[in-house]
Amino acid sequence: MTWAYSLDTFEITIIAIFAVLYILYVVRLTRIKAKLDVPISKWLIKFTVRTLYFLMILAALLGPSFGDTTREIKSVGKDLFICVDLSESMNAFDIQPSRLEKVKFELKNIVEAFSSDRIGLIMFSNEAFMQCPLTYDNNALNLFIQAMNTNLVPSSGTDFGPPLEMALNKLTNEATSVTQQKSKIIILISDGEDFGEETDQIAEEVESSGIKLFTLGIGTERGSKIMTGRGYKRNNQGEEVVSKINTKSLRKLASDTGGKYFEINERQNDVERLINSINDIEGELRDAKQLDAKANKYFYFLIAALVLMLVDALITVKVIKL
């Protein structure tokens, strides 16, 4: 038998008080018996019963456990790769304080929502770069998110193909069943049109792999100018560029892969819906362990104490004979 709790100062104090009071009670009855011819048999029974139910209550408080049982502990989780567009248009401020800063804020919420899952980060423009591999370390993820800026990648257009291909390769580099593949997710975040030529082919591979793909567009239809270190960004004709959200490529990509499209603009923020959609996906079984466990059986001792209290109440002792 094992105990959930040990005797500490409180329990020892209670036992000491009970012992002192009961000793005084015994001494008093002994003196009465010495003066009066009163049988002691019933009194000894009551003394024994009271001592037993006191010990039963004390044992119940200490949480006795006995009888070996086996419990299976399962570890279930998902793998998420988040691909973030870091082209210069993400510096547009039609979403305050800027598109990129808003994305960074929402990414921290996503990391918090899936703190028990593995999350990786890929940054891209026309090329893709692994910023953080799949990890459970949320503190490291938040540091990588905070460090994101548009100077980390080349600024020559947007191509959805490279980040999708990189995420697909990382998620499928282990031999897993189709069922397990369904717990692997790619989130692609961008504000613009896809200029890649191989995106459709990679999208087919993503769809056939069973991996879920969600796209998140950020920006507004009215758009805004793009701030750079030399002022507002200009085109080859010297005109200031106004960047507007282009949802066509993102919607098509989600549709082609059986995923969903979400958006952040001046009127709506679908990040909560995105989190709920990912939550609806069943995680894969990563590990299962058999652990030996003992159940707290305090109620047996408590029931015994109640029965003894009832017996104590039914036994009467006459101290004086009439």
Side-chain angles (χ1 to χ4, degrees):
M1 183 183 297
T2 59
W3 305 91
Y5 309 99
S6 59
L7 286 175
D8 57 19
T9 305
F10 175 75
E11 285 81 10
I12 293 174
T13 302
I14 294 297
I15 294 172
I17 292 173
F18 174 82
V20 169
L21 292 177
Y22 215 79
I23 289 171
L24 293 175
Y25 174 70
V26 170
V27 170
R28 179 173 174 270
L29 288 182
T30 302
R31 288 178 178 177
I32 292 173
K33 182 186 180 304
K35 295 180 180 181
L36 303 171
D37 186 17
V38 179
I40 199 172
S41 57
K42 287 188 176 181
W43 173 80
L44 287 175
I45 294 173
K46 289 181 73 69
F47 173 78
T48 304
V49 168
R50 290 176 180 177
T51 302
L52 286 175
Y53 71 65
F54 175 78
L55 294 175
M56 292 296 104
I57 293 174
L58 182 63
L61 290 174
L62 294 179
S65 299
F66 53 86
D68 293 335
T69 59
T70 302
R71 182 175 299 174
E72 185 179 44
I73 305 297
K74 294 181 179 180
S75 174
V76 178
K78 307 180 185 76
D79 287 342
L80 292 83
F81 254 116
I82 304 175
C83 306
V84 183
D85 184 357
L86 293 185
S87 58
E88 282 191 337
S89 60
M90 291 294 285
N91 289 328
F93 46 84
D94 50 349
I95 303 295
Q96 294 294 322
S98 73
R99 294 174 185 174
L100 180 55
E101 289 303 317
K102 179 63 174 176
V103 166
K104 289 162 67 172
F105 175 80
E106 296 298 346
L107 282 179
K108 292 179 180 179
N109 292 333
I110 293 173
V111 168
E112 182 178 356
F114 301 104
S115 56
S116 61
D117 300 311
R118 293 198 303 173
I119 302 176
L121 293 174
I122 295 174
M123 54 186 180
F124 72 96
S125 56
N126 66 321
E127 299 180 55
F129 302 90
M130 179 66 64
Q131 190 176 31
C132 179
L134 290 170
T135 181
Y136 290 109
D137 191 340
N138 294 342
N139 292 328
L141 280 166
N142 285 324
L143 288 175
F144 282 118
I145 290 170
Q146 190 59 41
M148 282 184 175
N149 66 79
T150 56
N151 295 322
L152 296 176
V153 296
S155 56
S156 54
T158 303
D159 186 350
F160 294 163
L164 291 179
E165 184 176 19
M166 180 177 290
L168 180 63
N169 289 338
K170 295 297 182 181
L171 290 173
T172 57
N173 62 356
E174 297 177 359
T176 54
S177 67
V178 174
T179 302
Q180 290 176 319
Q181 291 288 67
K182 292 180 179 178
S183 66
K184 300 179 185 295
I185 299 145
I186 300 174
I187 304 171
L188 189 139
I189 304 174
S190 180
D191 62 353
E193 186 177 357
D194 174 31
F195 295 98
E197 298 179 354
E198 299 181 358
T199 301
D200 291 341
Q201 177 184 345
I202 298 171
E204 290 179 5
E205 295 177 12
V206 172
E207 197 276 334
S208 62
S209 70
I211 294 174
K212 279 291 184 182
L213 173 61
F214 298 112
T215 59
L216 176 64
I218 181 165
T220 64
E221 295 292 341
R222 60 179 172 82
S224 77
K225 299 176 183 178
I226 303 171
M227 180 62 69
T228 66
R230 300 181 300 276
Y232 291 120
K233 183 177 178 64
R234 297 176 179 272
N235 59 21
N236 294 334
Q237 288 73 39
E239 300 171 337
E240 292 180 343
V241 175
V242 175
S243 173
K244 301 179 181 180
I245 188 172
N246 188 323
T247 65
K248 182 179 179 181
S249 298
L250 291 169
R251 290 182 184 275
K252 181 179 184 301
L253 186 58
S255 175
D256 290 347
T257 57
K260 295 181 181 179
Y261 170 75
F262 303 91
E263 191 169 311
I264 299 175
N265 56 41
E266 74 273 29
R267 297 183 305 275
Q268 71 185 71
N269 185 337
D270 289 339
V271 170
E272 192 64 33
R273 287 181 53 234
L274 170 62
I275 291 173
N276 291 337
S277 295
I278 296 174
N279 278 328
D280 290 339
I281 298 173
E282 184 179 355
E284 70 177 75
L285 179 64
R286 299 192 186 282
D287 190 20
K289 295 181 179 179
Q290 299 288 335
L291 298 180
D292 293 332
K294 294 180 181 290
N296 191 338
K297 303 294 179 60
Y298 72 93
F299 49 88
Y300 290 135
F301 293 84
L302 195 58
I303 291 172
L306 293 174
V307 171
L308 291 172
M309 285 181 183
L310 180 61
V311 172
D312 182 32
L314 294 176
I315 297 175
T316 58
V317 177
K318 291 183 180 180
V319 178
I320 299 176
K321 289 184 179 181
L322 298 177

